[in-house]
Amino acid sequence: MTNKLITRRAALSGLATAGATGLAAPSIATAAGQTTTWKVQTSWPGGIGLKIFESWANSIVEKTGGELAFEPFGAKDVVGDFQLFDAVKNGVLDAVNPFTIYAQGIIPAAMFLTSYPMGLRNPHEFDVFYYGLGGLEMARELYAKQNMYFVGPIHHGPNIIHSKVPIRSVDDFAGRKMRAPGGMVAELFSALGAKTTLLPGSEIFPALEKGTIDVADYVGPAVNYALGFSQVTDYISMGPPGFMSVYQPVDIMDLTVGMDSWNALSPEMQQFVEMEVHSYSDMHHAAIQAADQEAWDKFEADGTEVTRLGQTDVEIMTEVAVPIWYKYANRDKDAARVFSTQLDYMMSGSLGYVTPEMVAGQTLDL
């Protein structure tokens, strides 16, 4: 079993460039000659994100020698984005591939299982949190209380802002009707004067087209271009150079499985799925970033203008964000515990972009 899993990693080396197709992966023998098929819905509504997810899902049956198969569904194919977890709990779906922030309604600490304004800023920092500082164990503990199993995080890249009007400083958010994913991000922009609304990704284009909103946060260039955002907006707002997104620099997805479906797997198959998700995260992130490079040229050809916030804007947003961090962290003991682990890391010699002066007067209810 061990040799097969190790060999499987080698087969993944060409996945990013191959678009997650055409793999010759080793098999895990099917004990009774039967295939367990999971219905798995993603939050990707279309574009490169959905294609990568579908190709990966369709590769599982070959990699497991027919023991396990994923039947993939796109956003809203079975249930709406905000019904994903109910569907898993009720057995309508076996597993989901959501944006992790969508779990905040049932797990307050989920706000800190993905990036938040001015928090951890790079994918490798979240890998350190999850796989080095106990984040994965904390996530699994919290999801288990909801009768779900958190398999692991899946990176894809920063979120960016599309707008019908230029956003050249934080002042330009004032009065704008803005789609935000809820939680801390929405509170940050509300504090900056925006009129925020919560919409799933599949509803952003029509809302921009109709003028229901004039500013929208969503994922990265490749996905957003495929969704047609250049047809209904003229501007993209970014952070300063090297800081692509100041409010959600690492938008994390995950694979969450209903506990009954998870427990029905053999220990060996559970180990395979955990390793597969870890590998898929690396491939998914790289493939999305590669597609983003091509998308920038397409946006430019369509006449989209890229504007960038400055360092002063970062300082203003940080000042606004810090008390919001603590507000959400103090919603319950679990949220405080998760955030405390990240705060220690951000204040350590390894990172150092949070200083004692920045959090002076704030307290955590641990």
Side-chain angles (χ1 to χ4, degrees):
M1 177 64 193
T2 302
N3 289 337
K4 291 176 180 177
L5 287 171
I6 293 173
T7 305
R8 190 195 125 273
R9 280 190 168 273
L12 287 171
S13 61
L15 196 54
T17 55
T21 59
L23 290 179
S27 300
I28 296 177
T30 305
Q34 297 180 339
T35 299
T36 296
T37 300
W38 280 0
K39 292 182 178 179
V40 188
Q41 182 171 315
T42 183
S43 288
W44 287 123
I48 186 68
L50 180 60
K51 291 179 181 178
I52 295 171
F53 169 76
E54 289 176 335
S55 294
W56 173 63
N58 290 330
S59 75
I60 297 298
V61 67
E62 180 182 355
K63 295 173 188 174
T64 63
E67 185 171 347
L68 179 66
F70 287 2
E71 183 180 1
F73 296 92
K76 300 175 70 174
D77 282 356
V78 180
V79 298
D81 259 351
F82 301 142
Q83 287 77 51
L84 288 173
F85 300 110
D86 286 339
V88 167
K89 292 181 181 183
N90 297 334
V92 175
L93 294 167
D94 296 281
V96 290
N97 170 226
F99 294 104
T100 303
I101 197 171
Y102 289 167
Q104 64 181 312
I106 57 173
I107 304 173
M111 281 299 313
F112 299 101
L113 298 179
T114 184
S115 68
Y116 48 94
M118 316 312 297
L120 295 175
R121 300 175 184 182
N122 293 287
H124 71 270
E125 293 169 16
F126 268 98
D127 284 340
V128 170
F129 163 70
Y130 272 108
Y131 297 107
L133 301 178
L136 185 61
E137 290 75 15
M138 287 189 279
R140 288 177 176 172
E141 172 192 333
L142 298 175
Y143 276 68
K145 295 177 182 178
Q146 299 290 331
N147 202 35
M148 300 184 296
Y149 189 81
F150 182 92
V151 180
I154 297 171
H155 292 303
H156 81 79
N159 281 15
I160 59 178
I161 291 173
H162 296 261
S163 178
K164 293 177 176 291
V165 296
I167 303 291
R168 305 189 191 281
S169 76
V170 291
D171 295 335
D172 293 329
F173 288 107
R176 296 300 168 195
K177 297 174 293 183
M178 180 178 182
R179 181 271 178 186
M184 275 191 269
V185 175
E187 287 206 22
L188 173 72
F189 286 107
S190 292
L192 295 173
K195 300 174 182 178
T196 63
T197 185
L198 178 65
L199 292 172
S202 56
E203 296 180 18
I204 295 174
F205 180 92
L208 285 167
E209 187 176 35
K210 295 174 184 176
T212 307
I213 56 174
D214 49 26
V215 179
D217 135 87
Y218 199 48
V219 291
V223 173
N224 294 356
Y225 188 85
L227 293 176
F229 285 9
S230 68
Q231 301 170 31
V232 289
T233 60
D234 296 319
Y235 301 92
I236 292 175
S237 176
M238 309 278 285
F243 198 172
M244 189 169 171
S245 172
V246 294
Y247 68 97
Q248 205 156 16
V250 184
D251 194 9
I252 290 177
M253 304 180 80
D254 62 71
L255 187 73
T256 293
V257 184
M259 195 62 77
D260 290 343
S261 295
W262 182 255
N263 288 336
L265 297 183
S266 67
E268 293 80 10
M269 188 57 65
Q270 290 175 345
Q271 181 186 25
F272 167 82
V273 174
E274 289 174 351
M275 293 181 65
E276 180 69 13
V277 167
H278 200 165
S279 296
Y280 176 59
S281 177
D282 294 340
M283 180 282 298
H284 183 259
H285 181 254
I288 292 288
Q289 302 309 302
D292 283 349
Q293 304 315 302
E294 299 179 3
W296 286 121
D297 291 337
K298 296 176 183 177
F299 275 114
E300 183 178 1
D302 286 356
T304 302
E305 179 183 344
V306 176
T307 64
R308 290 189 178 274
L309 301 178
Q311 186 58 37
T312 299
D313 298 306
V314 171
E315 294 170 3
I316 293 171
M317 294 179 82
T318 301
E319 185 177 347
V320 173
V322 169
I324 297 176
W325 293 352
Y326 281 83
K327 173 185 174 181
Y328 277 82
N330 285 324
R331 283 186 165 185
D332 68 13
K333 301 287 186 182
D334 291 324
R337 178 164 53 107
V338 174
F339 174 65
S340 179
T341 300
Q342 296 178 353
L343 183 62
D344 288 344
Y345 182 31
M346 290 188 286
M347 296 182 73
S348 74
S350 296
L351 300 180
Y353 47 70
V354 178
T355 65
E357 292 76 21
M358 292 168 60
V359 297
Q362 302 290 339
T363 58
L364 276 178
D365 183 12
L366 293 168

